[in-house]
Amino acid sequence: MNKIEVILVDDHRIMCEGLKSMLSDSHEITVMGCVRNLSELLIKLRILPIHVILLSCYEPGDHDIEMIRIIQREHPQIKILILAMTAQESFILRTLKAGAKGFLSKDADRNELIESILTIRNGYDYYSKSISEIILKRYLNQPGNSSAQRNQPSGVLSDREMEVLKLYAESYTNQEIADKLFVSIRTVESHKNNIMRKINLKTTVDMVKFAIRNNLIEI
Amino acid sequence: MNKIEVILVDDHRIMCEGLKSMLSDSHEITVMGCVRNLSELLIKLRILPIHVILLSCYEPGDHDIEMIRIIQREHPQIKILILAMTAQESFILRTLKAGAKGFLSKDADRNELIESILTIRNGYDYYSKSISEIILKRYLNQPGNSSAQRNQPSGVLSDREMEVLKLYAESYTNQEIADKLFVSIRTVESHKNNIMRKINLKTTVDMVKFAIRNNLIEI
DNA sequence: CCATCTTTGCGTAAATTACTGAATTTCGGC
DNA sequence: GCCGAAATTCAGTAATTTACGCAAAGATGG
């Protein structure tokens, strides 16, 4: 089989060069280049025959998800492998939904990196061990289940609640949120209470921190 | 000259191996090992003749500062080089104050990494270019200056204000903070107002985010 | 000893919270 | 289509907290 042609996407020069130097020892893999952002990547993809994109995500956010979507749309045959420094459940699920074929946690070593590249090149998905657990846990917590856990914090916020939560975390007051959403201030308060009850929080500050932890807002 | 003996401290296997593989090409440097935390490091330092410690900081916090202090106390002759993914001013200054001899930003490349190791080995400090600017800016803003900028947001919080800010960010209410500090709730409110005026913030949420950005609290 | 900063405090108006309750809409499953 | 659960929308009222301007005693450093 021909060597697998990989391109690195990483904003950190040190990391880029480290990965490159690490992968260049492998007989099955050729690193075709290293780019720092989406536009550089798209240019390269037009001229290079790439099989696998290794995408580093340091501070997961909408930006990364959007990037995955665009790459998938333009080059559906290319496999995307995520190398993330954090293993936030919501982020993992979003990358997979957006089209990523594999997800490596920070605890992966050289062998796992190479194995994962080979695996997704062959058409299978690959998740780091710790990641698989998270995904499994998520499925167990899915809606279609017994009907006994009504009042537990299911943690599933509605779209509207998510919207309100984001606005709170962006420093808007109740009144400002009400104005923005064209509803009464009472409604906003209601949403806030429901959010805090669902996620089991006490204060607004905790709510903001929740939003930050889950990358609902930029900080 | 003998080769410089370096040890890597990095919690991320991939990064560790990448750095190692990158540095092992150099003729002047030998990577003596790679550890994941302080206790592993201290064990190694007892048996290996290390010149330089390369310490990766992904999410800067008190933890890193404390680590630097401990290493410096136990092994004052060893030079510590920080490789940080973020260039938060307060963090940079704290690492340097704690005893680090160099600070690399994420934009450093292989050459800069090697050069910085050689530089601090020779007894000089080394800062990435972008870092130097930050440090300079800070010095310009230092107390001992003209006396004209009295009312500007100097951004220098008093110890007490810092304390109050942290407690706010940890979700304590005014009353709880007052109880903790044995002062009236009015005093706490006053501190809060002064903090917000100094840093030029509008809301409590903004204050919390400020605390998070500057790593005043764990999140 | 003077200027400045810190720490402490108050009064009043405004905003938020804590409760409880409830009407309308939406939506998935049978 | 129908049913029930959840989502979305709003309200009343009392208690609490906050915003903001003002002020004064204590610490501190040149």
Side-chain angles (χ1 to χ4, degrees), chain A residues 11-15 17 21 36 85 106-110 169 171 206 209, chain B residues 11-15 17 21 36 85 106-110 169 171 206 209:
Chain A
D11 184 38
H12 302 53
R13 282 220 187 83
I14 292 266
M15 188 68 174
E17 296 184 25
S21 136
R36 296 165 69 85
M85 297 309 151
K106 70 183 179 67
D107 295 318
D109 58 12
R110 180 178 175 281
S171 311
D206 284 325
K209 293 203 276 190
Chain B
D11 184 39
H12 302 54
R13 282 220 186 84
I14 293 265
M15 188 69 174
E17 297 184 24
S21 136
R36 295 164 69 85
M85 296 308 148
K106 71 184 178 69
D107 295 317
D109 58 12
R110 180 177 174 281
S171 311
D206 284 326
K209 294 203 276 190

PDB file of all heavy atoms in Angstrom, chain A residues 11-15 17 21 36 85 106-110 169 171 206 209, chain B residues 11-15 17 21 36 85 106-110 169 171 206 209:
ATOM      1  N   ASP A  11      -1.839  25.545  15.215  1.00  0.00           N
ATOM      2  CA  ASP A  11      -1.458  26.949  15.309  1.00  0.00           C
ATOM      3  C   ASP A  11      -0.130  27.126  16.053  1.00  0.00           C
ATOM      4  O   ASP A  11       0.442  28.193  16.066  1.00  0.00           O
ATOM      5  CB  ASP A  11      -2.571  27.718  16.017  1.00  0.00           C
ATOM      6  CG  ASP A  11      -2.282  29.198  16.064  1.00  0.00           C
ATOM      7  OD1 ASP A  11      -1.750  29.709  15.065  1.00  0.00           O
ATOM      8  OD2 ASP A  11      -2.570  29.827  17.083  1.00  0.00           O
ATOM      9  N   HIS A  12       0.336  26.058  16.684  1.00  0.00           N
ATOM     10  CA  HIS A  12       1.533  26.161  17.523  1.00  0.00           C
ATOM     11  C   HIS A  12       2.713  25.558  16.778  1.00  0.00           C
ATOM     12  O   HIS A  12       2.765  24.360  16.550  1.00  0.00           O
ATOM     13  CB  HIS A  12       1.321  25.431  18.840  1.00  0.00           C
ATOM     14  CG  HIS A  12       0.151  25.934  19.628  1.00  0.00           C
ATOM     15  ND1 HIS A  12      -1.109  26.037  19.084  1.00  0.00           N
ATOM     16  CD2 HIS A  12       0.044  26.382  20.895  1.00  0.00           C
ATOM     17  CE1 HIS A  12      -1.929  26.522  20.004  1.00  0.00           C
ATOM     18  NE2 HIS A  12      -1.264  26.737  21.102  1.00  0.00           N
ATOM     19  N   ARG A  13       3.682  26.392  16.460  1.00  0.00           N
ATOM     20  CA  ARG A  13       4.813  25.918  15.658  1.00  0.00           C
ATOM     21  C   ARG A  13       5.514  24.746  16.300  1.00  0.00           C
ATOM     22  O   ARG A  13       5.820  23.753  15.657  1.00  0.00           O
ATOM     23  CB  ARG A  13       5.834  27.058  15.484  1.00  0.00           C
ATOM     24  CG  ARG A  13       5.439  28.069  14.463  1.00  0.00           C
ATOM     25  CD  ARG A  13       6.641  28.514  13.633  1.00  0.00           C
ATOM     26  NE  ARG A  13       6.246  29.613  12.760  1.00  0.00           N
ATOM     27  CZ  ARG A  13       6.191  30.878  13.161  1.00  0.00           C
ATOM     28  NH1 ARG A  13       6.515  31.189  14.400  1.00  0.00           N
ATOM     29  NH2 ARG A  13       5.820  31.824  12.317  1.00  0.00           N
ATOM     30  N   ILE A  14       5.760  24.875  17.590  1.00  0.00           N
ATOM     31  CA  ILE A  14       6.479  23.821  18.301  1.00  0.00           C
ATOM     32  C   ILE A  14       5.777  22.486  18.137  1.00  0.00           C
ATOM     33  O   ILE A  14       6.384  21.472  17.820  1.00  0.00           O
ATOM     34  CB  ILE A  14       6.550  24.147  19.809  1.00  0.00           C
ATOM     35  CG1 ILE A  14       7.430  25.361  20.049  1.00  0.00           C
ATOM     36  CG2 ILE A  14       7.039  22.955  20.597  1.00  0.00           C
ATOM     37  CD1 ILE A  14       8.851  25.030  20.364  1.00  0.00           C
ATOM     38  N   MET A  15       4.481  22.516  18.343  1.00  0.00           N
ATOM     39  CA  MET A  15       3.700  21.280  18.264  1.00  0.00           C
ATOM     40  C   MET A  15       3.737  20.718  16.854  1.00  0.00           C
ATOM     41  O   MET A  15       3.920  19.518  16.655  1.00  0.00           O
ATOM     42  CB  MET A  15       2.261  21.597  18.674  1.00  0.00           C
ATOM     43  CG  MET A  15       1.384  20.397  18.832  1.00  0.00           C
ATOM     44  SD  MET A  15       1.863  19.366  20.247  1.00  0.00           S
ATOM     45  CE  MET A  15       0.505  18.184  20.219  1.00  0.00           C
ATOM     46  N   GLU A  17       5.970  21.077  14.550  1.00  0.00           N
ATOM     47  CA  GLU A  17       7.266  20.493  14.216  1.00  0.00           C
ATOM     48  C   GLU A  17       7.499  19.209  14.995  1.00  0.00           C
ATOM     49  O   GLU A  17       8.106  18.259  14.484  1.00  0.00           O
ATOM     50  CB  GLU A  17       8.367  21.516  14.487  1.00  0.00           C
ATOM     51  CG  GLU A  17       8.212  22.734  13.586  1.00  0.00           C
ATOM     52  CD  GLU A  17       9.348  23.737  13.752  1.00  0.00           C
ATOM     53  OE1 GLU A  17      10.457  23.336  14.157  1.00  0.00           O
ATOM     54  OE2 GLU A  17       9.121  24.934  13.465  1.00  0.00           O
ATOM     55  N   SER A  21       8.100  15.680  13.184  1.00  0.00           N
ATOM     56  CA  SER A  21       9.315  14.934  13.439  1.00  0.00           C
ATOM     57  C   SER A  21       8.988  13.552  13.990  1.00  0.00           C
ATOM     58  O   SER A  21       9.691  12.577  13.735  1.00  0.00           O
ATOM     59  CB  SER A  21      10.167  15.751  14.406  1.00  0.00           C
ATOM     60  OG  SER A  21      10.720  14.969  15.405  1.00  0.00           O
ATOM     61  N   ARG A  36      -1.411  26.449   9.563  1.00  0.00           N
ATOM     62  CA  ARG A  36      -1.785  27.056  10.833  1.00  0.00           C
ATOM     63  C   ARG A  36      -3.255  27.410  10.901  1.00  0.00           C
ATOM     64  O   ARG A  36      -3.746  27.729  11.990  1.00  0.00           O
ATOM     65  CB  ARG A  36      -0.946  28.312  11.074  1.00  0.00           C
ATOM     66  CG  ARG A  36       0.536  28.010  11.233  1.00  0.00           C
ATOM     67  CD  ARG A  36       1.377  29.260  11.102  1.00  0.00           C
ATOM     68  NE  ARG A  36       1.200  30.172  12.214  1.00  0.00           N
ATOM     69  CZ  ARG A  36       1.878  30.081  13.357  1.00  0.00           C
ATOM     70  NH1 ARG A  36       2.752  29.130  13.531  1.00  0.00           N
ATOM     71  NH2 ARG A  36       1.677  30.953  14.323  1.00  0.00           N
ATOM     72  N   MET A  85      -6.690  18.814  23.395  1.00  0.00           N
ATOM     73  CA  MET A  85      -6.021  18.886  24.690  1.00  0.00           C
ATOM     74  C   MET A  85      -7.022  18.722  25.831  1.00  0.00           C
ATOM     75  O   MET A  85      -6.660  18.414  26.934  1.00  0.00           O
ATOM     76  CB  MET A  85      -5.283  20.217  24.826  1.00  0.00           C
ATOM     77  CG  MET A  85      -4.177  20.367  23.803  1.00  0.00           C
ATOM     78  SD  MET A  85      -3.051  18.942  23.774  1.00  0.00           S
ATOM     79  CE  MET A  85      -2.499  18.968  22.069  1.00  0.00           C
ATOM     80  N   LYS A 106      -5.254  14.002  24.933  1.00  0.00           N
ATOM     81  CA  LYS A 106      -3.878  14.427  25.182  1.00  0.00           C
ATOM     82  C   LYS A 106      -2.999  13.294  25.700  1.00  0.00           C
ATOM     83  O   LYS A 106      -1.778  13.399  25.700  1.00  0.00           O
ATOM     84  CB  LYS A 106      -3.866  15.580  26.186  1.00  0.00           C
ATOM     85  CG  LYS A 106      -4.236  15.179  27.603  1.00  0.00           C
ATOM     86  CD  LYS A 106      -4.275  16.389  28.501  1.00  0.00           C
ATOM     87  CE  LYS A 106      -4.679  16.024  29.923  1.00  0.00           C
ATOM     88  NZ  LYS A 106      -3.676  15.193  30.621  1.00  0.00           N
ATOM     89  N   ASP A 107      -3.629  12.236  26.166  1.00  0.00           N
ATOM     90  CA  ASP A 107      -2.847  11.145  26.736  1.00  0.00           C
ATOM     91  C   ASP A 107      -2.364  10.150  25.698  1.00  0.00           C
ATOM     92  O   ASP A 107      -1.691   9.182  26.033  1.00  0.00           O
ATOM     93  CB  ASP A 107      -3.676  10.399  27.792  1.00  0.00           C
ATOM     94  CG  ASP A 107      -3.977  11.304  28.968  1.00  0.00           C
ATOM     95  OD1 ASP A 107      -3.060  12.036  29.371  1.00  0.00           O
ATOM     96  OD2 ASP A 107      -5.115  11.292  29.455  1.00  0.00           O
ATOM     97  N   ALA A 108      -2.722  10.392  24.446  1.00  0.00           N
ATOM     98  CA  ALA A 108      -2.268   9.482  23.399  1.00  0.00           C
ATOM     99  C   ALA A 108      -0.751   9.543  23.281  1.00  0.00           C
ATOM    100  O   ALA A 108      -0.146  10.574  23.553  1.00  0.00           O
ATOM    101  CB  ALA A 108      -2.912   9.868  22.072  1.00  0.00           C
ATOM    102  N   ASP A 109      -0.132   8.453  22.893  1.00  0.00           N
ATOM    103  CA  ASP A 109       1.311   8.473  22.647  1.00  0.00           C
ATOM    104  C   ASP A 109       1.558   8.261  21.153  1.00  0.00           C
ATOM    105  O   ASP A 109       0.617   8.179  20.366  1.00  0.00           O
ATOM    106  CB  ASP A 109       2.019   7.414  23.487  1.00  0.00           C
ATOM    107  CG  ASP A 109       1.471   6.030  23.204  1.00  0.00           C
ATOM    108  OD1 ASP A 109       0.726   5.874  22.219  1.00  0.00           O
ATOM    109  OD2 ASP A 109       1.781   5.108  23.969  1.00  0.00           O
ATOM    110  N   ARG A 110       2.811   8.174  20.786  1.00  0.00           N
ATOM    111  CA  ARG A 110       3.177   8.055  19.374  1.00  0.00           C
ATOM    112  C   ARG A 110       2.496   6.856  18.725  1.00  0.00           C
ATOM    113  O   ARG A 110       1.956   6.945  17.614  1.00  0.00           O
ATOM    114  CB  ARG A 110       4.695   7.938  19.253  1.00  0.00           C
ATOM    115  CG  ARG A 110       5.188   7.803  17.829  1.00  0.00           C
ATOM    116  CD  ARG A 110       6.705   7.750  17.766  1.00  0.00           C
ATOM    117  NE  ARG A 110       7.151   7.495  16.409  1.00  0.00           N
ATOM    118  CZ  ARG A 110       7.162   6.292  15.831  1.00  0.00           C
ATOM    119  NH1 ARG A 110       6.730   5.234  16.512  1.00  0.00           N
ATOM    120  NH2 ARG A 110       7.583   6.150  14.586  1.00  0.00           N
ATOM    121  N   ALA A 169     -24.150  34.735  30.243  1.00  0.00           N
ATOM    122  CA  ALA A 169     -22.695  34.609  30.331  1.00  0.00           C
ATOM    123  C   ALA A 169     -21.991  35.722  29.578  1.00  0.00           C
ATOM    124  O   ALA A 169     -20.817  35.970  29.791  1.00  0.00           O
ATOM    125  CB  ALA A 169     -22.253  33.251  29.796  1.00  0.00           C
ATOM    126  N   SER A 171     -22.835  38.744  29.918  1.00  0.00           N
ATOM    127  CA  SER A 171     -22.982  39.921  30.781  1.00  0.00           C
ATOM    128  C   SER A 171     -24.237  40.729  30.544  1.00  0.00           C
ATOM    129  O   SER A 171     -24.302  41.877  30.965  1.00  0.00           O
ATOM    130  CB  SER A 171     -21.773  40.861  30.664  1.00  0.00           C
ATOM    131  OG  SER A 171     -20.582  40.148  30.794  1.00  0.00           O
ATOM    132  N   ASP A 206     -22.031  30.720  39.081  1.00  0.00           N
ATOM    133  CA  ASP A 206     -21.846  29.310  38.733  1.00  0.00           C
ATOM    134  C   ASP A 206     -22.340  29.043  37.322  1.00  0.00           C
ATOM    135  O   ASP A 206     -21.752  28.253  36.581  1.00  0.00           O
ATOM    136  CB  ASP A 206     -22.604  28.420  39.717  1.00  0.00           C
ATOM    137  CG  ASP A 206     -21.879  28.316  41.049  1.00  0.00           C
ATOM    138  OD1 ASP A 206     -20.638  28.317  41.026  1.00  0.00           O
ATOM    139  OD2 ASP A 206     -22.548  28.227  42.086  1.00  0.00           O
ATOM    140  N   LYS A 209     -19.820  30.201  34.877  1.00  0.00           N
ATOM    141  CA  LYS A 209     -18.678  29.294  34.821  1.00  0.00           C
ATOM    142  C   LYS A 209     -19.044  28.023  34.066  1.00  0.00           C
ATOM    143  O   LYS A 209     -18.226  27.472  33.328  1.00  0.00           O
ATOM    144  CB  LYS A 209     -18.178  28.990  36.239  1.00  0.00           C
ATOM    145  CG  LYS A 209     -17.587  30.223  36.900  1.00  0.00           C
ATOM    146  CD  LYS A 209     -16.623  29.896  37.998  1.00  0.00           C
ATOM    147  CE  LYS A 209     -17.309  29.640  39.312  1.00  0.00           C
ATOM    148  NZ  LYS A 209     -16.352  29.561  40.427  1.00  0.00           N
TER     149      LYS A 209
ATOM    150  N   ASP B  11       2.464  17.120  30.517  1.00  0.00           N
ATOM    151  CA  ASP B  11       1.418  16.151  30.851  1.00  0.00           C
ATOM    152  C   ASP B  11       0.870  15.462  29.597  1.00  0.00           C
ATOM    153  O   ASP B  11       0.139  14.499  29.686  1.00  0.00           O
ATOM    154  CB  ASP B  11       0.289  16.879  31.602  1.00  0.00           C
ATOM    155  CG  ASP B  11      -0.778  15.918  32.049  1.00  0.00           C
ATOM    156  OD1 ASP B  11      -0.420  14.808  32.471  1.00  0.00           O
ATOM    157  OD2 ASP B  11      -1.965  16.270  31.967  1.00  0.00           O
ATOM    158  N   HIS B  12       1.233  15.972  28.436  1.00  0.00           N
ATOM    159  CA  HIS B  12       0.660  15.461  27.192  1.00  0.00           C
ATOM    160  C   HIS B  12       1.680  14.583  26.490  1.00  0.00           C
ATOM    161  O   HIS B  12       2.702  15.073  26.027  1.00  0.00           O
ATOM    162  CB  HIS B  12       0.253  16.621  26.286  1.00  0.00           C
ATOM    163  CG  HIS B  12      -0.739  17.552  26.907  1.00  0.00           C
ATOM    164  ND1 HIS B  12      -0.522  18.131  28.119  1.00  0.00           N
ATOM    165  CD2 HIS B  12      -1.944  17.982  26.495  1.00  0.00           C
ATOM    166  CE1 HIS B  12      -1.565  18.898  28.419  1.00  0.00           C
ATOM    167  NE2 HIS B  12      -2.442  18.821  27.450  1.00  0.00           N
ATOM    168  N   ARG B  13       1.357  13.315  26.384  1.00  0.00           N
ATOM    169  CA  ARG B  13       2.335  12.370  25.836  1.00  0.00           C
ATOM    170  C   ARG B  13       2.791  12.793  24.452  1.00  0.00           C
ATOM    171  O   ARG B  13       3.964  12.801  24.137  1.00  0.00           O
ATOM    172  CB  ARG B  13       1.712  10.974  25.742  1.00  0.00           C
ATOM    173  CG  ARG B  13       1.664  10.262  27.054  1.00  0.00           C
ATOM    174  CD  ARG B  13       2.004   8.785  26.902  1.00  0.00           C
ATOM    175  NE  ARG B  13       1.795   8.107  28.178  1.00  0.00           N
ATOM    176  CZ  ARG B  13       0.616   7.659  28.567  1.00  0.00           C
ATOM    177  NH1 ARG B  13      -0.439   7.795  27.784  1.00  0.00           N
ATOM    178  NH2 ARG B  13       0.485   7.068  29.739  1.00  0.00           N
ATOM    179  N   ILE B  14       1.822  13.149  23.623  1.00  0.00           N
ATOM    180  CA  ILE B  14       2.144  13.514  22.248  1.00  0.00           C
ATOM    181  C   ILE B  14       3.167  14.636  22.204  1.00  0.00           C
ATOM    182  O   ILE B  14       4.164  14.574  21.504  1.00  0.00           O
ATOM    183  CB  ILE B  14       0.867  13.978  21.507  1.00  0.00           C
ATOM    184  CG1 ILE B  14      -0.095  12.819  21.331  1.00  0.00           C
ATOM    185  CG2 ILE B  14       1.219  14.635  20.187  1.00  0.00           C
ATOM    186  CD1 ILE B  14       0.028  12.115  20.019  1.00  0.00           C
ATOM    187  N   MET B  15       2.907  15.645  22.994  1.00  0.00           N
ATOM    188  CA  MET B  15       3.784  16.813  23.016  1.00  0.00           C
ATOM    189  C   MET B  15       5.172  16.418  23.499  1.00  0.00           C
ATOM    190  O   MET B  15       6.178  16.826  22.933  1.00  0.00           O
ATOM    191  CB  MET B  15       3.166  17.863  23.940  1.00  0.00           C
ATOM    192  CG  MET B  15       3.861  19.193  23.900  1.00  0.00           C
ATOM    193  SD  MET B  15       3.619  20.044  22.330  1.00  0.00           S
ATOM    194  CE  MET B  15       4.407  21.613  22.716  1.00  0.00           C
ATOM    195  N   GLU B  17       6.676  13.569  23.385  1.00  0.00           N
ATOM    196  CA  GLU B  17       7.423  12.795  22.403  1.00  0.00           C
ATOM    197  C   GLU B  17       7.809  13.662  21.216  1.00  0.00           C
ATOM    198  O   GLU B  17       8.873  13.486  20.623  1.00  0.00           O
ATOM    199  CB  GLU B  17       6.583  11.594  21.966  1.00  0.00           C
ATOM    200  CG  GLU B  17       6.313  10.665  23.135  1.00  0.00           C
ATOM    201  CD  GLU B  17       5.569   9.399  22.717  1.00  0.00           C
ATOM    202  OE1 GLU B  17       5.658   9.023  21.545  1.00  0.00           O
ATOM    203  OE2 GLU B  17       4.908   8.796  23.586  1.00  0.00           O
ATOM    204  N   SER B  21      11.628  14.243  20.145  1.00  0.00           N
ATOM    205  CA  SER B  21      12.066  13.886  18.806  1.00  0.00           C
ATOM    206  C   SER B  21      12.651  15.100  18.098  1.00  0.00           C
ATOM    207  O   SER B  21      13.576  14.997  17.306  1.00  0.00           O
ATOM    208  CB  SER B  21      10.875  13.284  18.066  1.00  0.00           C
ATOM    209  OG  SER B  21      10.776  13.778  16.780  1.00  0.00           O
ATOM    210  N   ARG B  36       5.762  13.699  33.730  1.00  0.00           N
ATOM    211  CA  ARG B  36       4.418  14.238  33.580  1.00  0.00           C
ATOM    212  C   ARG B  36       4.002  15.141  34.723  1.00  0.00           C
ATOM    213  O   ARG B  36       2.994  15.840  34.622  1.00  0.00           O
ATOM    214  CB  ARG B  36       3.407  13.089  33.449  1.00  0.00           C
ATOM    215  CG  ARG B  36       3.612  12.272  32.187  1.00  0.00           C
ATOM    216  CD  ARG B  36       2.879  10.954  32.268  1.00  0.00           C
ATOM    217  NE  ARG B  36       1.442  11.102  32.225  1.00  0.00           N
ATOM    218  CZ  ARG B  36       0.743  11.202  31.092  1.00  0.00           C
ATOM    219  NH1 ARG B  36       1.359  11.181  29.929  1.00  0.00           N
ATOM    220  NH2 ARG B  36      -0.568  11.313  31.126  1.00  0.00           N
ATOM    221  N   MET B  85       1.230  27.914  26.306  1.00  0.00           N
ATOM    222  CA  MET B  85       0.329  27.995  25.169  1.00  0.00           C
ATOM    223  C   MET B  85      -0.419  29.324  25.159  1.00  0.00           C
ATOM    224  O   MET B  85      -0.931  29.739  24.141  1.00  0.00           O
ATOM    225  CB  MET B  85      -0.669  26.845  25.202  1.00  0.00           C
ATOM    226  CG  MET B  85      -0.006  25.488  25.056  1.00  0.00           C
ATOM    227  SD  MET B  85       1.093  25.377  23.607  1.00  0.00           S
ATOM    228  CE  MET B  85       2.329  24.231  24.203  1.00  0.00           C
ATOM    229  N   LYS B 106       3.710  30.108  22.216  1.00  0.00           N
ATOM    230  CA  LYS B 106       3.321  29.015  21.329  1.00  0.00           C
ATOM    231  C   LYS B 106       3.836  29.211  19.896  1.00  0.00           C
ATOM    232  O   LYS B 106       3.840  28.285  19.102  1.00  0.00           O
ATOM    233  CB  LYS B 106       1.801  28.869  21.308  1.00  0.00           C
ATOM    234  CG  LYS B 106       1.075  29.992  20.585  1.00  0.00           C
ATOM    235  CD  LYS B 106      -0.421  29.824  20.685  1.00  0.00           C
ATOM    236  CE  LYS B 106      -1.160  30.968  20.010  1.00  0.00           C
ATOM    237  NZ  LYS B 106      -1.002  30.952  18.544  1.00  0.00           N
ATOM    238  N   ASP B 107       4.245  30.432  19.587  1.00  0.00           N
ATOM    239  CA  ASP B 107       4.674  30.704  18.229  1.00  0.00           C
ATOM    240  C   ASP B 107       6.147  30.403  17.996  1.00  0.00           C
ATOM    241  O   ASP B 107       6.643  30.588  16.893  1.00  0.00           O
ATOM    242  CB  ASP B 107       4.402  32.175  17.873  1.00  0.00           C
ATOM    243  CG  ASP B 107       2.918  32.453  17.863  1.00  0.00           C
ATOM    244  OD1 ASP B 107       2.190  31.603  17.333  1.00  0.00           O
ATOM    245  OD2 ASP B 107       2.508  33.501  18.380  1.00  0.00           O
ATOM    246  N   ALA B 108       6.805  29.960  19.043  1.00  0.00           N
ATOM    247  CA  ALA B 108       8.217  29.627  18.884  1.00  0.00           C
ATOM    248  C   ALA B 108       8.366  28.456  17.920  1.00  0.00           C
ATOM    249  O   ALA B 108       7.486  27.606  17.819  1.00  0.00           O
ATOM    250  CB  ALA B 108       8.806  29.274  20.238  1.00  0.00           C
ATOM    251  N   ASP B 109       9.464  28.415  17.202  1.00  0.00           N
ATOM    252  CA  ASP B 109       9.725  27.264  16.336  1.00  0.00           C
ATOM    253  C   ASP B 109      10.925  26.507  16.889  1.00  0.00           C
ATOM    254  O   ASP B 109      11.466  26.849  17.942  1.00  0.00           O
ATOM    255  CB  ASP B 109       9.947  27.708  14.900  1.00  0.00           C
ATOM    256  CG  ASP B 109      11.091  28.695  14.788  1.00  0.00           C
ATOM    257  OD1 ASP B 109      11.836  28.841  15.779  1.00  0.00           O
ATOM    258  OD2 ASP B 109      11.237  29.333  13.742  1.00  0.00           O
ATOM    259  N   ARG B 110      11.339  25.466  16.143  1.00  0.00           N
ATOM    260  CA  ARG B 110      12.415  24.609  16.624  1.00  0.00           C
ATOM    261  C   ARG B 110      13.681  25.421  16.907  1.00  0.00           C
ATOM    262  O   ARG B 110      14.341  25.238  17.927  1.00  0.00           O
ATOM    263  CB  ARG B 110      12.702  23.529  15.574  1.00  0.00           C
ATOM    264  CG  ARG B 110      13.806  22.591  15.965  1.00  0.00           C
ATOM    265  CD  ARG B 110      13.991  21.498  14.918  1.00  0.00           C
ATOM    266  NE  ARG B 110      15.147  20.670  15.231  1.00  0.00           N
ATOM    267  CZ  ARG B 110      16.396  21.025  14.974  1.00  0.00           C
ATOM    268  NH1 ARG B 110      16.651  22.200  14.424  1.00  0.00           N
ATOM    269  NH2 ARG B 110      17.393  20.206  15.286  1.00  0.00           N
ATOM    270  N   ALA B 169     -15.631  35.484  42.357  1.00  0.00           N
ATOM    271  CA  ALA B 169     -15.511  34.540  41.247  1.00  0.00           C
ATOM    272  C   ALA B 169     -15.750  33.107  41.693  1.00  0.00           C
ATOM    273  O   ALA B 169     -16.021  32.231  40.892  1.00  0.00           O
ATOM    274  CB  ALA B 169     -14.136  34.668  40.600  1.00  0.00           C
ATOM    275  N   SER B 171     -18.206  32.339  43.504  1.00  0.00           N
ATOM    276  CA  SER B 171     -19.658  32.250  43.684  1.00  0.00           C
ATOM    277  C   SER B 171     -20.150  32.635  45.069  1.00  0.00           C
ATOM    278  O   SER B 171     -21.273  32.290  45.430  1.00  0.00           O
ATOM    279  CB  SER B 171     -20.189  30.848  43.356  1.00  0.00           C
ATOM    280  OG  SER B 171     -19.710  30.390  42.138  1.00  0.00           O
ATOM    281  N   ASP B 206     -18.776  40.138  34.160  1.00  0.00           N
ATOM    282  CA  ASP B 206     -17.508  40.558  33.561  1.00  0.00           C
ATOM    283  C   ASP B 206     -16.362  40.393  34.546  1.00  0.00           C
ATOM    284  O   ASP B 206     -15.254  40.021  34.171  1.00  0.00           O
ATOM    285  CB  ASP B 206     -17.598  42.019  33.113  1.00  0.00           C
ATOM    286  CG  ASP B 206     -18.404  42.173  31.831  1.00  0.00           C
ATOM    287  OD1 ASP B 206     -18.334  41.259  31.000  1.00  0.00           O
ATOM    288  OD2 ASP B 206     -19.095  43.183  31.695  1.00  0.00           O
ATOM    289  N   LYS B 209     -15.371  36.823  34.705  1.00  0.00           N
ATOM    290  CA  LYS B 209     -14.613  36.433  33.524  1.00  0.00           C
ATOM    291  C   LYS B 209     -13.192  36.995  33.584  1.00  0.00           C
ATOM    292  O   LYS B 209     -12.247  36.325  33.165  1.00  0.00           O
ATOM    293  CB  LYS B 209     -15.347  36.896  32.255  1.00  0.00           C
ATOM    294  CG  LYS B 209     -16.670  36.158  32.078  1.00  0.00           C
ATOM    295  CD  LYS B 209     -17.143  36.154  30.653  1.00  0.00           C
ATOM    296  CE  LYS B 209     -17.902  37.413  30.313  1.00  0.00           C
ATOM    297  NZ  LYS B 209     -18.572  37.299  28.999  1.00  0.00           N
TER     298      LYS B 209
END
